[in-house]
Amino acid sequence: MKLIKLTAISAAVLASTAALAAEPVVVVDDNTAVAYEAEPVAVAYEAEPAYAYNADAGVVRNTTGAVVGGTKTFFQTAINPAAVSAEVGTLGYGANIAWGLNEKTELQAGWAGGDVADLFGGDFDANDVNYDVDSNFSNPYLGVQLRPTGNWFTMGAGIIVPDNDIDVTANSEGGEGGYYEINGARYDADSVGSLQGTMEHRNKLAPYATIGFRPNITENFGLFGEVGAAYMGKTDATVTASNTSGGPIFIQDGNGDRVEVAGETAQGVANMAEQELEDKDYLEWMPIVKVGATYRF
């Protein structure tokens, strides 16, 4: 009898380890055989999606781990951006791509450029000389766009890598037979010739900051507007005079008479105009005003 009971206990242990097989187990006690059928235990797991779109915030959820989680996941995130945008503003005409890092944060990479001098009026004054401006902007940038309150209000910051060509041409005053007023003296325009030059900002990396709004019009389409500034730094200028003959330079006195300036040259006058341009620090703080449209994936 003890042998039978020992066998029954062993069988019960084996039956518990074979529950998933769902085979009946027979236990014998006091010559009575009882059959038990083991039922497998099923545990259901519901797979959570790796990415979920938040229509209110307009960004991609739960991609922080994708960015830092590994090479394969990072590559998958890089080729699946959260949004693309087209823009126009004081930095030029351009576009950007955005990747969602979490519900309130996007990483942006973009470019803006072109001839936007007319957006700044097309001319400016450096002391008493007026200059026409022709520009060719190239402003690639990398930044972060934040939604601190989780709605349409945004704050942005980042770095611009400016490569902006600014060409200037001085306008003489007084009509025909006019003059350039430089350092308080009226240099005769005919004796100096035209004054033309270029300007370049010294900063190779320009930090910027903006605030704006980005409402979603539909689930996929939205609009945006931003205002802010970028610190481009002081300017370096180069100005040349068209009169290279080495002839005499005249100034106009208070009566409008021409008086020769001994020892002065046309390029010497251009150098003085160059210094005034650098003192002007044209667009040292570049205003940022832009609007655009966004498509979200």
Side-chain angles (χ1 to χ4, degrees), residues 89-107:
T90 52
L91 291 177
Y93 311 89
N96 67 64
I97 303 175
W99 293 267
L101 302 183
N102 55 45
E103 294 182 4
K104 296 182 179 181
T105 309
E106 285 183 348
L107 177 67

Side-chain angles (χ1 to χ4, degrees), residues 167-215:
D167 298 325
V168 296
T169 302
N171 295 313
S172 61
E173 302 290 337
E176 186 177 355
Y179 58 87
Y180 305 112
E181 187 165 347
I182 301 173
N183 285 346
R186 296 182 174 184
Y187 290 91
D188 182 72
D190 289 337
S191 62
V192 173
S194 64
L195 294 176
Q196 295 181 320
T198 61
M199 300 179 66
E200 181 179 5
H201 292 102
R202 296 176 184 174
N203 283 6
K204 303 306 179 184
L205 295 176
Y208 75 86
T210 62
I211 58 172
F213 63 94
R214 288 179 174 262

Side-chain angles (χ1 to χ4, degrees), residues 32-284:
T32 301
V34 180
Y36 299 90
E37 183 176 65
E39 293 185 0
V41 178
V43 179
Y45 297 91
E46 183 177 354
E48 291 288 338
Y51 305 88
Y53 179 75
N54 182 347
D56 294 328
V59 298
V60 176
R61 289 180 181 268
N62 301 330
T63 59
T64 305
V67 172
V68 299
T71 303
K72 181 179 179 181
T73 311
F74 178 85
F75 177 76
Q76 291 173 342
T77 302
I79 63 175
N80 291 281
V84 293
S85 300
E87 64 182 59
V88 58
T90 52
L91 291 177
Y93 311 89
N96 67 64
I97 303 175
W99 293 267
L101 302 183
N102 55 45
E103 294 182 4
K104 296 182 179 181
T105 309
E106 285 183 348
L107 177 67
Q108 288 185 336
W111 177 91
D115 185 359
V116 296
D118 289 342
L119 296 176
F120 300 99
D123 68 325
F124 71 95
D125 293 330
N127 287 350
D128 295 313
V129 180
N130 179 263
Y131 291 88
D132 287 333
V133 181
D134 184 24
S135 65
N136 185 18
F137 280 10
S138 178
N139 292 297
Y141 61 88
L142 181 66
V144 176
Q145 194 74 225
L146 303 175
R147 295 174 183 264
T149 57
N151 58 14
W152 55 265
F153 175 70
T154 63
M155 299 176 64
I159 292 292
I160 299 172
V161 186
D163 184 15
N164 299 326
D165 296 327
I166 303 173
D167 298 325
V168 296
T169 302
N171 295 313
S172 61
E173 302 290 337
E176 186 177 355
Y179 58 87
Y180 305 112
E181 187 165 347
I182 301 173
N183 285 346
R186 296 182 174 184
Y187 290 91
D188 182 72
D190 289 337
S191 62
V192 173
S194 64
L195 294 176
Q196 295 181 320
T198 61
M199 300 179 66
E200 181 179 5
H201 292 102
R202 296 176 184 174
N203 283 6
K204 303 306 179 184
L205 295 176
Y208 75 86
T210 62
I211 58 172
F213 63 94
R214 288 179 174 262
N216 288 337
I217 306 303
T218 68
E219 182 177 356
N220 298 106
F221 287 97
L223 302 175
F224 69 89
E226 295 179 37
V227 295
Y231 182 66
M232 296 292 184
K234 296 183 179 298
T235 55
D236 291 322
T238 300
V239 178
T240 58
S242 64
N243 184 3
T244 59
S245 64
I249 301 300
F250 297 91
I251 62 173
Q252 295 183 5
D253 62 17
N255 298 321
D257 297 327
R258 301 172 75 227
V259 179
E260 182 177 349
V261 183
E264 189 60 270
T265 64
Q267 187 55 45
V269 176
N271 292 341
M272 289 186 285
E274 181 179 293
Q275 186 59 54
E276 288 189 346
L277 279 175
E278 291 185 349
D279 292 342
K280 172 69 175 180
D281 285 329
Y282 179 62
L283 299 180
E284 177 181 4

